């Protein structure tokens, strides 16, 4: 085999369509655009999504929802989960890092941890979080624990 024997596979290379180069090419005169009409004109055609003047699909569909770009997202946990978890012992300090390690919180949000008051709590815990609900604060303090807002 020599370098001059190398060639691409049959059908791999396609010749460029040269339009408007005479009747003998088979693509002369109208240059494969047909006779007259919007598509035969220079710069002709319609924009993407145009449906011939009827109301386009994108405008017929109802607008749904709203994304608030200023929303503050917190990693959330209930005091009942702190009570039921075997990873959190009585008298321990609870932070977001401890909860992630224990597998109680799987998503760490930018604004930190928020503790909610759903469930019973009897363990004496020191909970450090960015936010507490009124019920959570009351439940932790009633159990003899302390609340620290970061």
């Amino acid at each position: 085999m020599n370098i001059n024997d190398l060639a691409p596979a049959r059908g791999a290379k396609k010749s460029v369509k040269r339009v408007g180069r005479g009747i003998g090419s088979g693509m002369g005169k109208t240059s494969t655009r047909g006779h007259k009409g919007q598509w035969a004109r220079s710069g002709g055609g319609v924009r993407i999504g145009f449906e011939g003047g009827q109301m386009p699909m994108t405008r017929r569909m109802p607008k749904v929802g709203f994304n608030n770009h200023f929303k503050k997202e917190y990693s959330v946990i209930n005091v009942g989960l702190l009570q039921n978890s075997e990873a959190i012992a009585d008298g321990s300090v609870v932070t977001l890092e401890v909860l992630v390690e224990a597998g109680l919180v799987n998503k760490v949000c930018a604004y930190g941890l928020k503790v909610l008051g759903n469930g019973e709590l009897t363990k004496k815990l020191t909970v450090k979080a960015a936010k507490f609900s009124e019920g959570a604060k009351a439940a932790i303090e009633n159990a003899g624990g302390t609340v620290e807002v970061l």
Side-chain angles (χ1 to χ4, degrees):
M1 176 179 264
N2 295 319
I3 197 149
N4 62 315
D5 294 332
L6 293 176
R10 286 183 64 83
K13 297 281 274 181
K14 197 173 175 187
S15 58
V16 178
K17 185 198 279 191
R18 295 188 70 225
V19 296
R21 291 297 179 270
I23 199 167
S25 69
M27 293 179 235
K29 194 183 174 220
T30 58
S31 302
T32 72
R33 286 173 174 252
H35 292 280
K36 294 188 184 174
Q38 190 172 21
W39 296 98
R41 311 279 188 241
S42 168
V46 293
R47 67 181 177 274
I48 293 170
F50 185 70
E51 297 183 18
Q54 81 174 12
M55 190 61 69
M57 180 66 77
T58 53
R59 290 188 59 198
R60 285 192 304 244
M61 290 286 125
K63 289 187 211 165
V64 179
F66 168 75
N67 285 327
N68 186 359
H69 302 296
F70 304 104
K71 179 171 63 178
K72 293 180 178 179
E73 284 197 26
Y74 295 92
S75 300
V76 179
I77 191 161
N78 281 300
V79 289
L81 260 163
L82 299 175
Q83 173 65 34
N84 297 334
S85 175
E86 295 165 8
I88 297 168
D90 193 11
S92 65
V93 177
V94 179
T95 61
L96 181 57
E97 291 76 30
V98 170
L99 295 173
V100 170
E101 222 172 89
L104 295 172
V105 172
N106 53 12
K107 187 180 177 191
V108 178
C109 293
Y111 285 90
L113 179 68
K114 183 173 182 176
V115 183
L116 302 177
N118 192 14
E120 297 280 322
L121 183 68
T122 56
K123 291 180 184 176
K124 187 178 178 181
L125 301 172
T126 302
V127 185
K128 296 180 179 180
K131 266 189 139 181
F132 293 88
S133 69
E134 290 297 318
K137 202 180 282 188
I140 293 165
E141 288 169 351
N142 289 343
T146 56
V147 171
E148 288 184 34
V149 179
L150 301 174

